[in-house]
Amino acid sequence: MTHQTPLKADAGHAAMANCIRFLAADAVQAAKSGHPGMPMGMADVATVLFTRFLKFDAADPQWPDRDRFVLSAGHGSMLVYALAYLTGMPGMDMEDLKNFRQLGSKTAGHPEYGHAPGVEVTTGPLGQGIATAVGMALGERMAAARFGADLMDHHTYVLAGDGCLMEGISQEAISLAGHLKLNKLIVLWDDNSISIDGPTDLSTSDDHLARFAASGWETTRVDGHDPEAVAAAIAAARDSDRPSLIACRTVIGYGAPNKQGTAATHGAPLGDDEIAATRAALGWSHGPFELPEEAVAAWRAAGARGAQDHADWTGRLEAADAGVREALTEALSGDLPAGWDAALKAHIATLIEEKPSIASRVASQKALEALVPAIPTLVGGSADLTGSNNTKVGGMDPVRAPDYAGRYIYFGVREHGMAAAMNGLALHGTAIPYGGTFLVFADYSRPAIRLAALMGVRVVHVMTHDSIGLGEDGPTHQPVEHLASLRAMPNVHVFRPADAVETAECWALALQTKGGPSVLALSRQGLPTLRTAVSDDMPSAKGAYVLAEAEGGDRRVTLLATGSEVAIAAQARDALQAEGIPTAVVSMPCWELFAAQDAAYRDRVLGPGTVRVGIEAACDMGWHRWLGEGGAFVGMTGFGASAPAPKLYAHFGITADAVVAAAKARL
Amino acid sequence: MTHQTPLKADAGHAAMANCIRFLAADAVQAAKSGHPGMPMGMADVATVLFTRFLKFDAADPQWPDRDRFVLSAGHGSMLVYALAYLTGMPGMDMEDLKNFRQLGSKTAGHPEYGHAPGVEVTTGPLGQGIATAVGMALGERMAAARFGADLMDHHTYVLAGDGCLMEGISQEAISLAGHLKLNKLIVLWDDNSISIDGPTDLSTSDDHLARFAASGWETTRVDGHDPEAVAAAIAAARDSDRPSLIACRTVIGYGAPNKQGTAATHGAPLGDDEIAATRAALGWSHGPFELPEEAVAAWRAAGARGAQDHADWTGRLEAADAGVREALTEALSGDLPAGWDAALKAHIATLIEEKPSIASRVASQKALEALVPAIPTLVGGSADLTGSNNTKVGGMDPVRAPDYAGRYIYFGVREHGMAAAMNGLALHGTAIPYGGTFLVFADYSRPAIRLAALMGVRVVHVMTHDSIGLGEDGPTHQPVEHLASLRAMPNVHVFRPADAVETAECWALALQTKGGPSVLALSRQGLPTLRTAVSDDMPSAKGAYVLAEAEGGDRRVTLLATGSEVAIAAQARDALQAEGIPTAVVSMPCWELFAAQDAAYRDRVLGPGTVRVGIEAACDMGWHRWLGEGGAFVGMTGFGASAPAPKLYAHFGITADAVVAAAKARL
C-alpha cells in the first residue's frame, strides 16, 4: 500500500485534512514539544468522520444526544483541538492553538476534560480512552432504555492507537463491550505499525482484528488515507449489530517526506526544514497557522451540520411526556432528586435505635437499599464479587443485551475496565455509577481512579475486605498500604466508616461529592454500632469528630481511629477511663474532609497537647500528620498473614491492650 | 458433555486424583474457609501433568532445571499443597494440610512463595500467575541461550482460571509470549464456565481460544476429566513451536453431587453433608485426611520420577566447561560477581571530578553502562519508552525469537505485563531484571510490584519523568502521589537520587537489595552535580544524609529534599546562609533505608529543634514524619499542569524563594 498520490490543495477533503495536519505540525513546532505524527496520520479518517458521520452541533458541544468522540490516543491532542477550532466550537480560537502546551492554555499537552470544547474525556495514559468509551456507549444504551430512543440515540467513536490496544485494559474493555453488544461503539484504530521504540513488530505480533472478533466485534481493515473506503467502513459499522473495529492503515506523520512512517514523527516537532518540505510535498502554500478560506468554510459548514438535528431533538424533548422530560433533565443536571435522602435518614434513625453489629459491607448494602429506589440515576455493579461486596440490592435487574433497562452491571473479573467504564457512565451524564471489588484490588483500578480524580467525575468505588480483618485469604488479599495510597491521590475522598451509621452517612457524602471519585473502604467482619446518639447533622461530614469525649477531667489521651479500629479505640478508652485517665475517641471516616476544616475545629478534635494514639489496621504512612511527633501508632508494619481475623489482630498487636499500653507509656 | 462415569477407587488415575479432591475438601472444611471447587475440578488434569509430564524431583523442589508449575488460580491453593504432600516434597506433611489457613502454617489461604515447597510464585490476585510465568518461560529461553540446552531445558506450566483470563494483564502476557514464541510455556485453562457471580456468561462471551490464537498461540480444547485426552493435548503442546493453551473443560467441584458445576463450590466449604455425599458418589471409603496406601505409593513414585533426570543434569553440570558451570552457579546464587562495582566506583569518581549537569535518567544510563558489562545476569527493557527511560546501553542486543541470547527486552506498551514478567525472570533465578516506564505509570504496574514486595524478589523499576519537571505532557503524565503510594508499600525501596552521583549509588543499592523490589524515580530534566566531595562509603546507603552542613554557627534551619528538589534546597541554603542563618541541606534518596537507621543518626540528620522545611515536587503524604508538627512543606497540593517545566515550578511555588520564605516565617 502506498500513499504517494498528491492531494489537491485548498478544496475538498484533501485541503480539509491538510488543515488538521498543518495545525498540528505548526502548533507542535511552536510549542517545541508534542506529537505531530498521529494527527497527521489520522487527518483523513477524522475528516471523513467529522464531515460525514459525527452527529454534533459545534455551536453546543454539550448537546446531550451528540455522538461522543474519544481520542484514546491522547498524545495526538492537536487533532481534537484542530477539529474544535475548524468546526467552530465556541471557546477554541486560533490563539488557543498557538498557545498549545503553555501554562494556563486550554490546549494542554494531552486533552483535559473541562478545559477545551470537544474533549469528552481526559486521555493520555494509554488504553483509558477506549475503556472509558465503553462506559459512555453503555450509558447511551441504558439512557435510551430509560428515556426512549427519540431522546437518546447516538454513537460513540474512539480513535485508538497501537499503544491503546497493547494495554491490558483494552482487552477488558472490548470483552465487556462485545458481551454487552454495544453496537453503537465504533473504534477507529490508527493502524500505523509504529510505536515509540520503533516498528510495532519489535514487541507485538498480535492480529488485533482476530482478537476483537473473538470478543464479538465486527472488524474490517481499510486504507486510512482513502476517504471513500473509510466512509464505507464507518457506514457499515453503523449498521452492525455489534461493536465495530475499523483498522485504518495509515502512515504516521503523513506528508512529512523524510520522516513519515517512522517513530521520529511520534513525539517531537518535525523541525522547520521538514515542515517546509511537508508544505512542498502536500502543495500547501499557506504560512504557519494560516488556512485556506474555502477549507475553513467547508469545516464550519460541517460543524453546523448537526444544528437541525439538535433543534429536532430539542423539539422532541419539549414534546415528550412531562415525566420523561423532567427525569432526563434531572439526570443531566447531576443533582440528586428531591427527597433522595429521606429513606436514608429514616434508616439511620433505625440503626441508632437498633444498634446492629454488622459488617460495614453489609451496612453499605442496607444504605443502598434506601438509596437505589430514591435515586433513579444510581447504577451499580461489581467485578465478579457481587455477594462479597454486597452491591446488588432488591429491584436491580442485570443490564444484559439487548435489554439495557436494568441497573446492575456484572462487570466480570475486570477491575480496571470497570473503573474506566464507571468514568464513562458518569461522563455520559445520565448515571451515577458505583462498582465493587476488594480494597486490595484498588491497585488494578488505580489508573482509572486517577483519571476520575483528575477530571472530577462522580463515581463511587465500593471496596470491601478492607484490612487483615478479612482473615484467611492472606496477604495477597489484605490491603495494608491501600488507604494511604488512595489518600495520597488528589481529589479522592477515601471513606472508612466505623459502623453502620457512619456507613450510611459516608454513602450520602459520596453521592454529594459531584466533583470527584469516592472510595468506601468497608469491612468484611462485623462491627458494633458505636454512634448511638441522635444528631441533627452528619458528624461524618466533617471528616473526623469526637465520638466519645473524655470524662472526669481534662482530656489527657486522644485515640484516633478509622473503620473497624474505632471499636478497638472505644474498648481502650473504657480501660483508660476505668484507670481514671480521661480519654477521648475520635473517629476519622474521611481524612480529606477533615483536612478541609478550619484549624480551630481540627485542634478541638485532635487534642494537641494530649497523648495521641492512632489506630488503623494499615501502614502508618500519613498518620504522623494527625499524631504529631510524640504520638504513637498501633497498626501494621508490613504485609498481613493467612489466619482467622481475630488471631491476626492479636498477632499483629492491634488490640485495646496495645493501645492502652502505648498511651500509658507516653503519659 | 457429562462426567458421571464413576471413577474406580483406590487404584490408578482416579484414586490419585481423588486424593487431591478429598484433601482439598477436607482441608477447606477443617479451616472453615477456602476454595474446594478448583482443586476438585482440576484434579484430573493435575494428576496427568504431575504423573506423566512434569519434570521435577520431589526430593529437591528447587532443582534449577525443573519444570515450573504456576498456580495462577491461586485460590485453589490446596491443589498445590496436596501435590507437594502427595509427591513427597520435604517439609509438607499431613499436619501442614490440617493446618490449612491457620496462623503460622505453611499452607496459607493463597500460595505464598517461600512458605511451602512447590510454590513457585505467590498468586491470588488474578492474572498475575500467567503473566509471571511468561517471565519464567522467557528466563528459561534466555538461560538456555547463555548456558546451553543441556543445562537449561524445561517447560513452564500454568493452571489458570476464567478470572485469570478475564484480567487485562492476561492479554499483555499472552501477547508478549506469543511474540517471543515461548513454545515451552503451556497454559492449562480450568474452563469450567463458573466465576464467583455465577455462570461466566453473566459477564463474558469471549472465545479465548481465538484470542490466544490471535496472539500466535497453539490452542486446543479437551475434556478435562478424560486423562488420555489431557495427556494427548499436553504431549502435542510440548511439540509445538509456539506457546500453547489447553482449554480443559471441567466441572467445578467435580464429585460433589449437589453442588458441582455451580459457584457454590468456588469459595466456601462444601459442608459435612455434601462431603459425605461426595464420598459416596466417588466411592471413597476413607475418612478425612485419610488416603489409600496404594494411591499414595503411586504418588510418591511419581514424585521420584525425576530423580534420574536430576542426577543426569548434575552430571552434565559437573562435566560442563568450567566457565559455564561457574557462571551458572554464580547466577543461581543471586550474588553479584566479584568486582561488579569497580567500574561503577570509577564512574562515580569521574562524576565527582567532572560535575556534569544531566538528567538523572541520563545518569541512570551512564550507571548502566558501568554495570551491564560487569553483571552478566543483568537484563533490561522498557515498556516502549526505551529512548525516554534511557534503559538500553551499548552491547545489549534485543531478545527476539528464536535467538534469546540478547539482554534487552522490548516489552511493548505493557507496563503491567512487564512488571509481572520481571518478577518471573527474577524467580526463575537466572536474571536480575530491570524495566523502564514513566513514574506515573507505576499505577499500571502496581499489582505486580506488590507481589514482588510480598515475595521479596529483586527487580528494579526504572521510572523516569518523575514529577512536574517533565513539563508539557501535563497532569496525566506528571506523578504527584506516586512517590507516596510506592513508599506506602511494604518492602519496596523507593530511590529518588538528586544527581548523577546519587543515581549511581542508588543503582548499586538497588542491585544489592536481594530481598525486594526497588524503584528508581528519575528526572527528565537536567540536574547539577551536588555531591562534589569524595567519600569512601556511599552516603546514599543511609537513605538520607547531610549533604551540606550549616555554617557559621549552630544549625537553625534544616532543608530536607529528594531528587530534583535537592538543587532547590541548595539554592535556598545559599540565600539563608547569606543572611547569616546557618542552614543544612539533607538529601533523602531513600526513606526506607533512612527509617532503618538508629535514632541517633536520624536525629543528627533531621535536626529536631531546628526549623525544618521539606521540598519535593509531590504531595505531602508521609512528609510529616520527617518535618514534625511545626515544619513546612514546599511541594504540590494537587495535580500538575501542561507547560514548560520551569514555568510549572514557578507556578506551583516550588522555588528557592518559597523555601526561604517558609523557613524565615518559622524562625
Side-chain angles (χ1 to χ4, degrees):
Chain A
M1 199 161 21
T2 62
H3 305 281
Q4 300 308 318
T5 322
L7 297 170
K8 197 173 154 197
D10 290 10
H13 170 88
M16 292 173 79
N18 285 342
C19 288
I20 298 173
R21 290 193 173 94
F22 285 100
L23 287 176
D26 291 339
V28 170
Q29 192 64 32
K32 300 192 188 69
S33 80
H35 302 76
M38 192 281 267
M40 296 176 77
M42 285 297 278
D44 291 312
V45 173
T47 300
V48 170
L49 178 66
F50 273 67
T51 60
R52 306 196 205 178
F53 294 99
L54 197 77
K55 179 172 81 170
F56 74 114
D57 178 4
D60 180 6
Q62 294 301 308
W63 169 31
D65 196 34
R66 71 192 177 280
D67 285 347
R68 272 37 169 200
F69 175 71
V70 174
L71 190 77
S72 193
H75 50 273
S77 57
M78 267 308 302
L79 181 83
V80 72
Y81 302 147
L83 289 164
Y85 170 75
L86 290 166
T87 58
M89 290 187 188
M92 181 60 78
D93 303 321
M94 189 60 92
E95 272 317 294
D96 296 309
L97 303 185
K98 292 179 179 173
N99 281 321
F100 181 51
R101 294 181 151 237
Q102 303 310 305
L103 191 62
S105 75
K106 294 167 187 164
T107 46
H110 292 79
E112 302 284 343
Y113 176 70
H115 290 216
V119 175
E120 299 280 6
V121 50
T122 296
T123 52
L126 294 174
Q128 295 294 330
I130 187 171
T132 307
V134 170
M136 292 176 167
L138 177 58
E140 190 270 347
R141 290 289 75 200
M142 291 170 72
R146 184 170 169 215
F147 303 112
D150 53 339
L151 293 179
M152 195 56 62
D153 180 20
H154 68 78
H155 285 80
T156 301
Y157 295 95
V158 180
L159 194 168
D162 288 292
C164 292
L165 300 196
M166 291 176 80
E167 291 286 0
I169 190 176
S170 74
Q171 180 61 29
E172 299 184 19
I174 69 172
S175 176
L176 186 62
H179 176 70
L180 292 171
K181 296 196 197 307
L182 301 177
N183 67 311
K184 300 175 84 176
L185 175 65
I186 298 174
V187 172
L188 302 155
W189 167 29
D190 180 15
D191 178 16
N192 62 27
S193 302
I194 294 292
S195 69
I196 291 175
D197 277 355
T200 50
D201 66 7
L202 279 177
S203 61
T204 187
S205 310
D206 287 347
D207 177 346
H208 283 305
L209 270 63
R211 173 165 76 104
F212 277 70
S215 288
W217 286 55
E218 197 75 49
T219 66
T220 189
R221 173 169 270 134
V222 298
D223 177 351
H225 299 297
D226 177 343
E228 298 315 316
V230 171
I234 295 175
R238 291 164 55 96
D239 284 340
S240 174
D241 63 351
R242 47 184 65 190
S244 295
L245 171 72
I246 304 173
C248 305
R249 288 289 295 140
T250 64
V251 175
I252 189 171
Y254 181 96
N258 305 301
K259 293 189 171 180
Q260 68 179 5
T262 75
T265 67
H266 167 80
L270 295 176
D272 289 329
D273 291 350
E274 183 70 4
I275 292 180
T278 308
R279 285 192 151 72
L282 296 181
W284 192 256
S285 57
H286 313 283
F289 298 106
E290 290 173 15
L291 302 171
E293 275 177 33
E294 306 92 309
V296 173
W299 268 116
R300 293 291 150 91
R305 262 191 318 119
Q308 187 59 50
D309 279 345
H310 185 183
D312 293 348
W313 180 86
T314 305
R316 291 196 298 277
L317 179 65
E318 284 165 2
D321 173 83
V324 171
R325 184 174 64 245
E326 283 159 22
L328 178 56
T329 304
E330 182 176 272
L332 292 169
S333 75
D335 296 334
L336 299 172
W340 68 275
D341 58 353
L344 191 76
K345 283 180 174 166
H347 167 60
I348 290 174
T350 304
L351 290 171
I352 289 174
E353 179 85 15
E354 298 183 352
K355 304 175 187 51
S357 280
I358 53 176
S360 48
R361 62 176 172 141
V362 175
S364 169
Q365 177 168 340
K366 290 181 183 295
L368 283 170
E369 283 164 1
L371 291 165
V372 166
I375 307 174
T377 47
L378 195 57
V379 302
S382 167
D384 196 44
L385 289 168
T386 295
S388 299
N389 299 146
N390 300 71
T391 34
K392 189 165 185 289
V393 301
M396 296 188 102
D397 291 324
V399 175
R400 302 198 74 165
D403 174 10
Y404 301 93
R407 290 171 66 183
Y408 194 80
I409 303 156
Y410 286 108
F411 281 108
V413 189
R414 306 183 184 100
E415 299 84 4
H416 200 179
M418 174 176 74
M422 286 164 63
N423 292 350
L425 284 161
L427 288 164
H428 187 263
T430 51
I432 305 174
Y434 68 85
T437 187
F438 291 159
L439 178 58
V440 80
F441 300 140
D443 282 352
Y444 278 82
S445 308
R446 196 168 165 87
I449 297 174
R450 187 175 204 260
L451 283 186
L454 184 55
M455 290 189 282
V457 299
R458 175 174 46 187
V459 294
V460 184
H461 289 275
V462 178
M463 294 189 160
T464 69
H465 295 59
D466 71 346
S467 76
I468 54 167
L470 66 86
E472 292 90 340
D473 274 345
T476 54
H477 285 55
Q478 290 162 355
V480 294
E481 73 277 31
H482 297 75
L483 293 169
S485 71
L486 290 164
R487 287 169 180 155
M489 195 182 280
N491 200 33
V492 179
H493 283 171
V494 180
F495 294 99
R496 190 165 189 251
D499 67 3
V501 177
E502 280 194 9
T503 303
E505 291 180 346
C506 290
W507 255 113
L509 293 164
L511 293 173
Q512 291 174 291
T513 305
K514 286 177 82 166
S518 296
V519 173
L520 295 170
L522 303 171
S523 76
R524 175 182 187 233
Q525 72 273 32
L527 305 176
T529 297
L530 298 170
R531 270 272 296 293
T532 52
V534 179
S535 74
D536 287 339
D537 57 354
M538 293 200 299
S540 300
K542 292 201 162 151
Y545 64 95
V546 179
L547 176 68
E549 192 45 279
E551 290 172 4
D554 287 347
R555 192 202 297 184
R556 294 181 64 200
V557 174
T558 307
L559 305 178
L560 303 132
T562 76
S564 45
E565 286 69 68
V566 180
I568 294 172
Q571 288 170 28
R573 175 181 177 274
D574 290 346
L576 288 163
Q577 286 282 161
E579 296 192 43
I581 303 167
T583 300
V585 170
V586 170
S587 180
M588 307 187 75
C590 182
W591 286 16
E592 297 78 21
L593 290 174
F594 182 59
Q597 306 303 314
D598 62 44
Y601 178 78
R602 291 206 308 271
D603 279 351
R604 210 152 63 234
V605 171
L606 294 175
T610 67
V611 166
R612 283 179 270 174
V613 183
I615 310 120
E616 188 167 67
C619 69
D620 68 1
M621 172 73 76
W623 270 96
H624 298 83
R625 178 172 185 184
W626 313 123
L627 300 177
E629 266 176 306
F633 179 72
V634 173
M636 298 293 289
T637 57
F639 292 110
S642 171
K647 300 222 167 182
L648 290 175
Y649 272 88
H651 176 71
F652 290 110
I654 307 174
T655 62
D657 286 349
V659 174
V660 168
K664 288 169 72 175
R666 283 163 180 78
L667 278 170
Chain B
M1 197 157 27
T2 61
H3 305 282
Q4 300 309 317
T5 322
L7 297 170
K8 198 172 154 198
D10 290 10
H13 170 88
M16 292 172 79
N18 284 343
C19 288
I20 298 173
R21 289 194 174 95
F22 286 100
L23 287 176
D26 291 338
V28 170
Q29 191 66 31
K32 301 191 187 69
S33 78
H35 302 76
M38 194 279 268
M40 295 176 77
M42 285 297 277
D44 292 310
V45 173
T47 300
V48 170
L49 178 66
F50 273 66
T51 60
R52 305 198 205 178
F53 294 98
L54 197 77
K55 180 172 80 170
F56 74 115
D57 177 4
D60 180 6
Q62 294 301 308
W63 169 29
D65 197 33
R66 71 191 178 280
D67 286 347
R68 278 20 174 212
F69 175 70
V70 174
L71 190 77
S72 193
H75 50 273
S77 57
M78 267 309 301
L79 182 82
V80 73
Y81 301 147
L83 289 164
Y85 169 75
L86 290 167
T87 58
M89 291 187 188
M92 182 60 79
D93 303 320
M94 189 61 91
E95 271 318 292
D96 296 308
L97 303 185
K98 292 180 180 173
N99 281 321
F100 182 50
R101 293 182 150 234
Q102 302 310 304
L103 191 62
S105 75
K106 295 166 186 163
T107 47
H110 291 81
E112 303 283 341
Y113 176 70
H115 290 215
V119 174
E120 299 281 5
V121 52
T122 295
T123 51
L126 294 175
Q128 296 293 329
I130 186 171
T132 306
V134 170
M136 291 176 167
L138 177 59
E140 190 270 348
R141 290 290 75 201
M142 292 171 72
R146 185 170 168 216
F147 303 112
D150 52 340
L151 293 179
M152 195 55 63
D153 180 21
H154 68 79
H155 285 80
T156 301
Y157 295 94
V158 180
L159 194 168
D162 289 291
C164 291
L165 300 195
M166 291 175 81
E167 291 285 359
I169 190 175
S170 73
Q171 179 61 29
E172 299 184 20
I174 70 171
S175 175
L176 186 62
H179 176 71
L180 292 171
K181 295 195 197 307
L182 301 177
N183 67 312
K184 300 174 85 177
L185 175 65
I186 298 174
V187 172
L188 302 155
W189 166 29
D190 181 15
D191 180 14
N192 62 27
S193 303
I194 293 292
S195 69
I196 292 175
D197 277 354
T200 51
D201 67 6
L202 278 178
S203 60
T204 187
S205 310
D206 287 346
D207 178 345
H208 283 305
L209 270 63
R211 173 165 78 105
F212 277 69
S215 287
W217 286 55
E218 197 75 49
T219 65
T220 189
R221 172 170 270 134
V222 298
D223 177 350
H225 299 296
D226 177 344
E228 298 314 316
V230 171
I234 295 175
R238 290 164 55 97
D239 284 340
S240 175
D241 62 350
R242 49 185 63 191
S244 295
L245 171 72
I246 303 173
C248 305
R249 287 289 296 136
T250 63
V251 175
I252 189 170
Y254 181 96
N258 305 300
K259 293 189 172 181
Q260 68 178 5
T262 75
T265 68
H266 167 81
L270 295 177
D272 289 327
D273 291 350
E274 183 71 2
I275 292 179
T278 308
R279 285 191 151 74
L282 295 181
W284 193 255
S285 57
H286 314 283
F289 298 106
E290 291 174 14
L291 301 172
E293 274 177 34
E294 305 93 307
V296 173
W299 268 116
R300 292 291 151 91
R305 263 192 317 119
Q308 188 59 50
D309 280 346
H310 185 182
D312 293 347
W313 180 86
T314 305
R316 292 196 299 278
L317 179 65
E318 283 163 3
D321 173 84
V324 171
R325 184 174 64 244
E326 283 159 21
L328 178 55
T329 305
E330 181 177 274
L332 292 169
S333 76
D335 296 333
L336 300 172
W340 68 274
D341 58 352
L344 192 76
K345 283 180 173 166
H347 166 60
I348 290 174
T350 304
L351 290 171
I352 289 175
E353 178 83 17
E354 297 183 351
K355 303 174 187 51
S357 280
I358 53 177
S360 48
R361 62 179 172 140
V362 175
S364 169
Q365 177 168 339
K366 290 182 184 293
L368 283 170
E369 284 164 2
L371 291 165
V372 166
I375 307 174
T377 46
L378 195 57
V379 303
S382 166
D384 197 44
L385 289 168
T386 294
S388 299
N389 300 145
N390 299 71
T391 34
K392 189 166 185 291
V393 301
M396 296 188 104
D397 292 324
V399 174
R400 301 198 74 165
D403 174 10
Y404 301 93
R407 290 172 65 184
Y408 194 80
I409 302 156
Y410 287 107
F411 282 108
V413 189
R414 307 182 184 100
E415 299 84 5
H416 200 179
M418 173 176 74
M422 287 164 64
N423 292 350
L425 284 161
L427 289 164
H428 188 261
T430 52
I432 304 174
Y434 68 85
T437 187
F438 290 159
L439 179 58
V440 79
F441 300 139
D443 282 350
Y444 278 82
S445 309
R446 196 169 166 88
I449 298 174
R450 187 175 205 261
L451 282 186
L454 184 55
M455 291 188 281
V457 300
R458 175 172 46 187
V459 294
V460 183
H461 289 275
V462 178
M463 294 190 159
T464 69
H465 296 58
D466 71 347
S467 76
I468 55 166
L470 65 87
E472 291 90 339
D473 274 345
T476 54
H477 284 55
Q478 291 162 354
V480 294
E481 74 277 29
H482 297 73
L483 293 170
S485 71
L486 289 164
R487 287 169 180 154
M489 196 181 280
N491 200 33
V492 179
H493 282 170
V494 180
F495 294 99
R496 190 165 188 250
D499 67 3
V501 177
E502 279 194 8
T503 303
E505 291 179 347
C506 291
W507 255 113
L509 293 164
L511 293 174
Q512 291 174 290
T513 305
K514 285 177 82 167
S518 296
V519 173
L520 294 170
L522 303 170
S523 76
R524 175 183 186 231
Q525 72 273 31
L527 305 176
T529 297
L530 299 170
R531 269 274 295 293
T532 53
V534 179
S535 75
D536 287 338
D537 56 355
M538 293 200 300
S540 301
K542 291 200 161 151
Y545 64 94
V546 178
L547 175 69
E549 192 43 279
E551 291 172 4
D554 287 346
R555 192 202 296 184
R556 294 182 63 201
V557 173
T558 307
L559 305 179
L560 303 132
T562 76
S564 45
E565 285 69 69
V566 180
I568 293 172
Q571 288 170 29
R573 175 180 177 274
D574 290 346
L576 289 162
Q577 286 282 160
E579 295 191 44
I581 303 167
T583 300
V585 170
V586 170
S587 181
M588 307 187 76
C590 182
W591 286 16
E592 296 80 20
L593 290 174
F594 182 58
Q597 305 303 314
D598 62 42
Y601 178 79
R602 291 207 308 271
D603 278 352
R604 211 150 65 235
V605 171
L606 295 175
T610 68
V611 166
R612 283 179 271 174
V613 183
I615 311 121
E616 187 167 69
C619 68
D620 69 359
M621 171 73 76
W623 271 95
H624 298 84
R625 177 171 185 185
W626 313 124
L627 300 177
E629 266 177 305
F633 180 72
V634 173
M636 299 293 288
T637 56
F639 292 110
S642 171
K647 300 222 167 182
L648 290 174
Y649 272 88
H651 175 70
F652 290 110
I654 305 175
T655 63
D657 287 349
V659 174
V660 168
K664 288 168 72 173
R666 282 162 180 78
L667 280 170

